[in-house]
Amino acid sequence: MFDQYIVCEEGFRAHEDGRPGGVVEVRMPYYRGLALSMVEAVDLVLDGRPVPADRTTFTVHGHTYGFDQLPHTTDDRWEMGERAQLAFTTDEPLAPGEHDVAVSVRLRISYMPVPGGGRDSKRLTLAGA
Amino acid sequence: MFDQYIVCEEGFRAHEDGRPGGVVEVRMPYYRGLALSMVEAVDLVLDGRPVPADRTTFTVHGHTYGFDQLPHTTDDRWEMGERAQLAFTTDEPLAPGEHDVAVSVRLRISYMPVPGGGRDSKRLTLAGA
Amino acid sequence: MTTPAHRIQRGVSLYSYQEEFFLRTMTLEDCVRAAAECGALGIEIIPEQSIPGYPQLTEEFLQTWHGWMAQYGTHPAATDLFLDTKRHPGRWLTLEEQVASVRQDVDIAVRLGAPVVRAIINTPPEVMEAAAPYAEEAGVRLLLEVHAPFHYEHPWVLQHLEVMYRTGSPALGLMPDMGTYVRRFPRVVSDRALRDGAKPELVDLIVSTYDDHGDTHALMDVVNYRGGGPVEFGLARQATHYIWSEPKAMLEHMGLIGHVQAKFYEMTDEGVEYSIPYDEIVPVLIEGGFAGHLSSEYEGNRHVQDAFPVDSVEQVRRQHAMFARLLGETTGEDA
Amino acid sequence: MTTPAHRIQRGVSLYSYQEEFFLRTMTLEDCVRAAAECGALGIEIIPEQSIPGYPQLTEEFLQTWHGWMAQYGTHPAATDLFLDTKRHPGRWLTLEEQVASVRQDVDIAVRLGAPVVRAIINTPPEVMEAAAPYAEEAGVRLLLEVHAPFHYEHPWVLQHLEVMYRTGSPALGLMPDMGTYVRRFPRVVSDRALRDGAKPELVDLIVSTYDDHGDTHALMDVVNYRGGGPVEFGLARQATHYIWSEPKAMLEHMGLIGHVQAKFYEMTDEGVEYSIPYDEIVPVLIEGGFAGHLSSEYEGNRHVQDAFPVDSVEQVRRQHAMFARLLGETTGEDA
Ligand SMILES: [Mn+2]
Ligand SMILES: [Mn+2]
């Protein structure tokens, strides 16, 4: 229902500390918030190359988690419409300019027999570092 | 319907010419034969590691094809119950003894809205080279 | 036109403004104000949607919330609960955990001042039964949302009705979602499929099969036989999710019906819902003596957002102009 | 017991021996012989299954085939065609290509000596219409297989019936698959789900919902609400694929019915099919004056092969013992 809004147009940026990689802001394609234990995956494909989940972290309202922590996190939530920060590490620094950013979100929604979530991809310009 | 028969118990062997890799014999999980153009994939996972399709070839009754050729091959068939040879190349020679062999077959069956096929995995012992 | 006397109240579920709330072009207060401005004074809220930090509610939030109610002349009509039976990976919530989850949402309803809690359709009947005394003590009704494709003869709903009639608990009841009365296929949905590249003749096939209330059993198969792909399959799947039956079926259970979710997809320029015949539904509610809220649930945004500006406020406004007419309210325009 | 006079012939589709033929424990000749040995003299063959090199048929094969027919006292009853509309990646066969595919299969039927061709359910009505004159000239009937979940009121079948009644072509007709008369859920299927780890109470729910011929619309949802996973979802999906309706529905279209596929899942030790009431079906065929083949389609192998030896020959033998009884044939045992 909100697939087209998953990848935020703004906020795509390199790491401030110079580590290779960056941050993309993402929203959950769902009409309510969910405890993080039900966020099964937020998969990133950057310029056609999948970024492994263990090279990403997930931040909601200032709290940062590894994806191995999410399944056990029942006391924090990704709120409806909230911009979360998906931070990722790459081998090489990101080139300035445009990048293809594809994000697929998989949610465990109890009343649905199949996984919920959605996918979005946008061409984003890296904000000046 | 024939998933459990996809991977043949016999015929798992190293290449005769000493190239690294080998051959596993496979059957199509379907009750009729199909033109090869409708065989969309025969994916091999060896000891937990996927073998890319471009490192495999497919042989039916003595005719060998690359997987890039199958989509255009409407004049040859994988017959019902026929043991095809799925040959694969690996970086290192196969160790003697047991290996996990998982094969997933995807078929384009016209009367079905979803892909047909199936999957099977067996622990096979490499035949003496 | 004379309309029989009735006690139906108008309301809005803030679900209706999901597009604007998601995109932060409307705040929660904006949503309450928008509802009030169309005379829909009963506010239905989904705490997990509208209240960051759920299930914690701060005193500050509650004060603000009740302040808005006073300021805009609105009142809390209902809250919507979810039951996350799959909250933990790899295991199901126990019965006790499920009941605890419902109790927590009852507490939240009490603090928000809502007399009704929507129990989502996946709430098991034994959870309803176990939570009923707690809800009764709290002065809150726990109403099972009868959502498409369910209906009053469905085994799942029959199990719930068995609990309701056997226990006779005043806290238990039903909350029909009018998405169970989709007489014709919503055109916003089929138009979207066309924009997504669906073959027009297959869209016609799907829509006309639905509109004839024909057998959708093998619709996916037929769409495949006719050359359909993923977009057409998606539309065919939609056609098996909508249902139509006679709204009069509500009369038999009217004693249990405490709230109605007025699902809608498109209020046309002519002021009618394209697919759901509210001009037949509202008279049934009046006839049955329904005394709860008729609460808007706009769900068209997802089908038009790719190509058109979404205006949920206007859509809800139109629905309430229609309700005011069907309920025989004297409007300024008539005077 | 007196059975009315009838002209029904018994046959076997070699589909029935798929397990043994796949595993090469039976040859094609073994299949023909097995059919003959249970008095099923009409042989239905799926060329794409049984004849390597299809669509080429060598003179040598044909000679062998006709030799078997003479040797075993059998006769070709039907061939089964498929229509591979998706033969090429990324594009659909054109109408002309589809008709050419059907013609090719008509030619094959002629060479094999079969008077009937099974047109698979995805064959479009316009392809049937376009191929009918060719089939008529070849002396072959092209019969649409009415397969579950289709039935005679379904829009897809109605389109086919429209072509059949409008053209009046003697080459066109119907081939009902008795999988459309599954009165109770096949226990070989539910037992398999249990072996695969399905929760017994959910298997019961699915089976009893099916057996009550209740609403399977939201069965998948309810199985989810009750804690089901992939195995239970698979079983629920099966329950939406089987159908039951009154076999008498065939009477109205009996003039078009040229062959019957006697689908079955399990012939019990008591000599009856567990899920399909052939003792009601055969009298309908007799009453309607059906004069074609009642042709076995054993499909139980896939549900038992994980745990039990498959014995398709014995299963078919039992079905024909039942047919002989229902058709009033004097058997050696009675004499
Ligand atoms: Mn609703
Ligand atoms: Mn059949």
Side-chain angles (χ1 to χ4, degrees):
Chain A
M1 59 205 73
F2 293 122
D3 284 27
Q4 69 189 58
Y5 302 136
I6 292 174
V7 175
C8 298
E9 318 246 346
E10 314 82 17
F12 178 53
R13 56 190 185 269
H15 288 300
E16 289 175 13
D17 61 8
R19 282 179 301 124
V23 175
V24 58
E25 301 208 330
V26 294
R27 288 176 291 211
M28 184 167 60
Y30 194 31
Y31 62 81
R32 63 169 172 137
L34 275 186
L36 297 179
S37 61
M38 291 173 276
V39 177
E40 294 194 330
V42 183
D43 289 325
L44 172 65
V45 177
L46 188 70
D47 296 319
R49 268 185 300 265
V51 179
D54 61 9
R55 302 192 82 185
T56 65
T57 63
F58 188 71
T59 302
V60 285
H61 39 268
H63 306 164
T64 298
Y65 302 91
F67 277 89
D68 54 343
Q69 293 175 285
L70 292 190
H72 315 290
T73 306
T74 52
D75 61 351
D76 201 355
R77 293 165 56 81
W78 190 3
E79 300 291 354
M80 196 257 202
E82 179 181 7
R83 291 168 186 243
Q85 286 77 44
L86 182 68
F88 55 93
T89 306
T90 50
D91 291 331
E92 303 293 326
L94 294 176
E98 296 195 322
H99 293 269
D100 285 319
V101 177
V103 173
S104 130
V105 177
R106 197 173 72 242
L107 306 172
R108 195 170 61 252
I109 297 177
S110 294
Y111 56 81
M112 287 168 50
V114 293
R119 52 187 65 238
D120 182 27
S121 60
K122 292 198 177 81
R123 193 149 174 85
L124 298 183
T125 301
L126 202 65
Chain B
M1 59 204 72
F2 292 122
D3 285 28
Q4 69 188 60
Y5 302 136
I6 293 174
V7 175
C8 298
E9 317 247 345
E10 314 81 18
F12 178 54
R13 57 189 184 269
H15 288 300
E16 289 175 14
D17 61 6
R19 283 180 299 126
V23 175
V24 56
E25 300 210 330
V26 294
R27 289 174 291 209
M28 183 167 63
Y30 194 31
Y31 64 79
R32 63 168 173 137
L34 275 184
L36 298 179
S37 60
M38 292 173 277
V39 177
E40 293 193 330
V42 183
D43 289 326
L44 172 65
V45 177
L46 189 68
D47 296 318
R49 270 185 299 267
V51 178
D54 61 9
R55 302 191 84 186
T56 64
T57 62
F58 188 71
T59 301
V60 283
H61 38 268
H63 306 162
T64 297
Y65 301 91
F67 277 88
D68 55 341
Q69 292 175 287
L70 291 192
H72 314 292
T73 305
T74 51
D75 61 351
D76 201 356
R77 295 165 56 80
W78 189 3
E79 300 292 354
M80 195 259 202
E82 179 181 8
R83 292 169 184 241
Q85 287 77 44
L86 182 67
F88 56 94
T89 305
T90 50
D91 292 331
E92 303 295 325
L94 294 178
E98 294 196 325
H99 293 268
D100 285 320
V101 178
V103 173
S104 127
V105 177
R106 197 172 72 243
L107 305 172
R108 196 168 63 254
I109 298 178
S110 294
Y111 57 81
M112 287 168 51
V114 294
R119 56 186 63 238
D120 181 27
S121 61
K122 291 196 177 82
R123 192 148 177 85
L124 297 184
T125 302
L126 202 65
Chain C
M1 180 181 89
T2 35
T3 303
H6 68 80
R7 296 173 296 160
I8 298 173
Q9 298 169 273
R10 291 194 282 117
V12 172
S13 168
L14 303 187
Y15 180 90
S16 302
Y17 305 119
Q18 60 178 263
E19 182 88 7
E20 290 86 351
F21 189 73
F22 183 102
L23 294 173
R24 309 294 193 245
T25 58
M26 282 174 77
T27 64
L28 186 52
E29 183 176 6
D30 291 337
C31 295
V32 172
R33 186 191 306 112
E37 284 176 358
C38 49
L41 302 182
I43 305 295
E44 178 173 352
I45 184 170
I46 304 176
E48 302 194 39
Q49 173 177 83
S50 302
I51 310 176
Y54 168 93
Q56 274 78 49
L57 269 63
T58 64
E59 284 306 322
E60 186 195 345
F61 175 80
L62 287 168
Q63 209 172 327
T64 305
W65 169 257
H66 292 293
W68 291 334
M69 295 301 116
Q71 179 179 351
Y72 296 108
T74 50
H75 54 270
T79 65
D80 288 16
L81 75 73
F82 291 83
L83 184 63
D84 287 326
T85 48
K86 302 178 195 171
R87 183 182 303 154
H88 306 284
R91 76 168 185 91
W92 209 256
L93 287 195
T94 64
L95 176 63
E96 291 67 34
E97 288 171 324
Q98 293 180 51
V99 175
S101 172
V102 172
R103 286 176 170 221
Q104 172 177 275
D105 285 308
V106 166
D107 291 344
I108 288 171
V110 169
R111 298 182 72 195
L112 290 170
V116 159
V117 174
R118 180 288 302 262
I120 192 165
I121 182 76
N122 67 314
T123 311
E126 64 272 19
V127 173
M128 296 288 279
E129 182 166 2
Y134 189 84
E136 186 177 351
E137 195 151 322
V140 161
R141 288 191 81 189
L142 203 50
L143 306 180
L144 180 79
E145 180 185 357
V146 181
H147 191 283
F150 290 91
H151 50 79
Y152 304 93
E153 315 297 326
H154 192 284
W156 180 251
V157 176
L158 290 175
Q159 286 181 50
H160 277 277
L161 289 171
E162 189 276 329
V163 169
M164 293 175 193
Y165 285 114
R166 172 169 51 75
T167 66
S169 169
L172 297 184
L174 301 170
M175 182 184 290
D177 179 308
M178 297 298 101
T180 48
Y181 302 113
V182 175
R183 179 180 272 153
R184 55 176 183 167
F185 200 83
R187 68 180 174 187
V188 289
V189 178
S190 49
D191 285 353
R192 170 72 185 257
L194 288 169
R195 289 196 300 279
D196 287 344
K199 295 180 186 173
E201 65 275 18
L202 287 178
V203 173
D204 281 350
L205 170 71
I206 293 164
V207 169
S208 65
T209 300
Y210 185 85
D211 288 355
D212 295 346
H213 307 129
D215 188 348
T216 56
H217 213 91
L219 185 57
M220 188 80 80
D221 296 288
V222 174
V223 166
N224 178 49
Y225 304 164
R226 284 298 188 194
V231 177
E232 292 90 349
F233 294 160
L235 195 69
R237 200 173 297 115
Q238 288 269 27
T240 66
H241 283 184
Y242 298 125
I243 58 167
W244 162 254
S245 60
E246 282 296 330
K248 281 185 188 300
M250 285 187 287
L251 287 175
E252 194 187 336
H253 303 287
M254 199 57 88
L256 290 171
I257 296 177
H259 186 92
V260 170
Q261 288 186 331
K263 177 70 57 64
F264 72 108
Y265 305 100
E266 184 195 6
M267 290 297 305
T268 69
D269 290 342
E270 291 73 38
V272 295
E273 215 290 325
Y274 180 80
S275 50
I276 301 173
Y278 278 102
D279 58 336
E280 298 178 30
I281 289 169
V282 171
V284 169
L285 296 175
I286 293 173
E287 178 186 348
F290 173 62
H293 286 86
L294 189 57
S295 181
S296 296
E297 269 199 334
Y298 175 53
E299 198 179 278
N301 64 310
R302 62 182 70 168
H303 306 298
V304 301
Q305 66 189 183
D306 63 304
F308 303 103
V310 174
D311 191 346
S312 309
V313 173
E314 170 63 11
Q315 284 288 305
V316 172
R317 198 198 59 71
R318 289 183 184 187
Q319 197 192 31
H320 279 275
M322 174 180 72
F323 287 160
R325 176 169 54 76
L326 294 172
L327 291 169
E329 295 180 22
T330 306
T331 65
E333 294 157 50
D334 295 342
Chain D
M1 181 180 89
T2 35
T3 304
H6 67 81
R7 292 173 299 157
I8 298 173
Q9 298 169 273
R10 291 195 282 115
V12 172
S13 168
L14 303 188
Y15 180 89
S16 301
Y17 305 118
Q18 58 178 269
E19 183 87 9
E20 290 85 352
F21 189 71
F22 183 100
L23 294 174
R24 308 297 192 242
T25 57
M26 281 174 76
T27 63
L28 186 52
E29 183 177 4
D30 292 336
C31 297
V32 172
R33 186 191 307 112
E37 284 175 356
C38 50
L41 302 182
I43 305 295
E44 179 173 352
I45 184 171
I46 304 177
E48 302 194 38
Q49 173 177 85
S50 304
I51 309 176
Y54 168 93
Q56 273 79 48
L57 270 62
T58 63
E59 284 307 321
E60 186 194 343
F61 174 81
L62 289 168
Q63 208 171 327
T64 305
W65 169 257
H66 291 293
W68 291 334
M69 295 301 117
Q71 179 180 350
Y72 297 108
T74 51
H75 55 268
T79 65
D80 287 19
L81 75 72
F82 291 82
L83 185 62
D84 287 326
T85 49
K86 303 178 191 170
R87 182 182 304 158
H88 306 283
R91 78 168 184 87
W92 208 255
L93 287 195
T94 64
L95 176 62
E96 290 68 32
E97 289 171 323
Q98 292 181 51
V99 175
S101 172
V102 172
R103 286 178 171 220
Q104 174 179 272
D105 285 307
V106 166
D107 292 343
I108 287 171
V110 169
R111 296 182 72 197
L112 290 170
V116 160
V117 174
R118 182 287 303 264
I120 192 166
I121 182 76
N122 69 312
T123 311
E126 64 273 19
V127 173
M128 295 289 279
E129 182 165 3
Y134 189 84
E136 185 176 352
E137 195 153 321
V140 160
R141 287 190 82 187
L142 205 50
L143 305 180
L144 180 79
E145 181 185 357
V146 181
H147 191 283
F150 289 91
H151 49 78
Y152 304 94
E153 315 297 326
H154 192 286
W156 180 251
V157 176
L158 290 174
Q159 286 181 51
H160 277 278
L161 288 171
E162 188 276 330
V163 168
M164 292 175 194
Y165 285 114
R166 172 170 48 74
T167 66
S169 168
L172 297 185
L174 301 170
M175 181 184 292
D177 180 307
M178 297 300 98
T180 49
Y181 300 113
V182 175
R183 179 180 273 153
R184 56 176 183 167
F185 200 84
R187 67 180 176 187
V188 289
V189 177
S190 49
D191 286 351
R192 171 70 185 256
L194 289 169
R195 289 195 300 278
D196 288 345
K199 295 180 185 173
E201 65 276 18
L202 288 178
V203 172
D204 281 350
L205 170 70
I206 293 164
V207 169
S208 65
T209 301
Y210 185 86
D211 288 355
D212 296 346
H213 307 127
D215 188 346
T216 56
H217 214 91
L219 184 56
M220 187 81 77
D221 296 289
V222 174
V223 167
N224 179 49
Y225 303 164
R226 285 297 186 193
V231 177
E232 292 90 349
F233 295 161
L235 194 69
R237 199 173 298 116
Q238 288 270 25
T240 66
H241 283 185
Y242 298 124
I243 58 168
W244 162 254
S245 61
E246 283 295 329
K248 283 186 186 299
M250 286 188 286
L251 287 175
E252 195 186 336
H253 302 288
M254 199 56 87
L256 289 171
I257 296 177
H259 186 92
V260 169
Q261 288 187 332
K263 174 74 56 66
F264 72 108
Y265 305 100
E266 182 194 9
M267 288 298 305
T268 69
D269 290 343
E270 292 72 41
V272 295
E273 216 291 323
Y274 180 82
S275 50
I276 302 174
Y278 278 102
D279 58 336
E280 297 178 31
I281 289 170
V282 171
V284 169
L285 295 175
I286 293 173
E287 176 185 350
F290 172 63
H293 286 87
L294 189 56
S295 179
S296 297
E297 269 199 334
Y298 175 53
E299 200 178 276
N301 64 309
R302 62 181 71 168
H303 305 299
V304 300
Q305 63 189 184
D306 62 306
F308 302 103
V310 174
D311 190 349
S312 308
V313 172
E314 171 63 12
Q315 284 287 305
V316 172
R317 196 197 60 71
R318 290 183 183 187
Q319 196 190 32
H320 278 275
M322 174 181 71
F323 287 160
R325 177 170 52 81
L326 294 171
L327 290 169
E329 294 181 23
T330 305
T331 65
E333 295 156 51
D334 295 343

